[in-house]
Amino acid sequence: MPVTRREGAPGNGITKKVWIQASAETVYRALTEPGLLAHWFCDKASCDPREGGELLAEWHHGKDRRRGRAVITRLQPGRAMDLAWIDDGQGADPPSRHTLSYEIRSKSGMTELVMTDRDDAPTDEETLEFLTDGWNSVLLELKDFCENRERTAKKGADARS
């Protein structure tokens, strides 16, 4: 189960760690490729995986649609990515001061993903708990997606041998 740690001031943050039985490359691709993002993070995505590039995401909730836009502020292919959300789909005015960071580490034949979600806006305990539960769900979706993708690729390679 992902680990939660509350960050100190300024602002509020959530840090989670998840072990994924897949390669760092598979995890990185799931974080940056639009077609793969749509399997675990959002319903539709576009992504320009470079520093200064943008990630656009769309979520559907019944008839409602939310769109988010982030700028990639740091990218180390296969190792790390930081996103500054310009519009996190919440319709905030002024614009969001929300950042999301991913650190990808290969260890013992697995991949450790450390995700940190920070927002400068004050967050009450109820909202923090809601966000924590949401990230648990999203990161487990990512874990399941990457592990299934890697198992499927291995089975395909074994069948071709």
Side-chain angles (χ1 to χ4, degrees):
M1 184 58 84
V3 175
T4 302
R5 180 176 72 232
R6 188 169 180 169
E7 297 292 317
N12 296 298
I14 298 169
T15 296
K16 294 200 163 284
K17 209 181 277 191
V18 64
W19 287 93
I20 302 172
Q21 203 163 358
S23 69
E25 178 62 25
T26 295
V27 174
Y28 175 75
R29 290 181 62 212
L31 294 171
T32 58
E33 291 185 16
L36 303 183
L37 281 161
H39 282 277
W40 68 272
F41 181 67
C42 57
D43 296 302
K44 185 176 177 185
S46 68
C47 185
D48 179 8
R50 63 178 175 81
E51 287 187 18
E54 288 190 343
L55 168 67
L56 302 171
E58 187 174 300
W59 297 269
H60 303 159
H61 299 283
K63 293 182 181 181
D64 295 331
R65 290 182 184 202
R66 288 188 307 131
R67 290 185 175 95
R69 183 169 71 106
V71 173
I72 299 170
T73 57
R74 177 177 69 125
L75 187 69
Q76 296 174 334
R79 296 184 42 217
M81 180 169 67
D82 292 350
L83 300 163
W85 286 92
I86 295 167
D87 177 1
D88 60 8
Q90 302 298 317
D93 190 27
S96 174
R97 302 266 308 150
H98 181 200
T99 60
L100 191 58
S101 299
Y102 295 104
E103 298 289 332
I104 303 166
R105 302 176 185 130
S106 294
K107 291 184 178 180
S108 306
M110 294 181 72
T111 299
E112 176 189 44
L113 179 71
V114 179
M115 185 277 316
T116 302
D117 180 352
R118 288 188 190 92
D119 197 324
D120 288 344
T123 304
D124 59 57
E125 288 299 321
E126 185 177 336
T127 302
L128 187 61
E129 187 175 322
F130 175 78
L131 293 171
T132 297
D133 289 346
W135 275 119
N136 282 343
S137 177
V138 168
L139 291 174
L140 288 175
E141 286 283 329
L142 172 64
K143 174 183 172 59
D144 288 346
F145 174 73
C146 290
E147 290 176 353
N148 287 333
R149 185 169 177 82
E150 200 135 300
R151 268 194 304 273
T152 301
K154 185 175 179 355
K155 284 180 186 175
D158 289 346
R160 288 189 297 272
S161 309

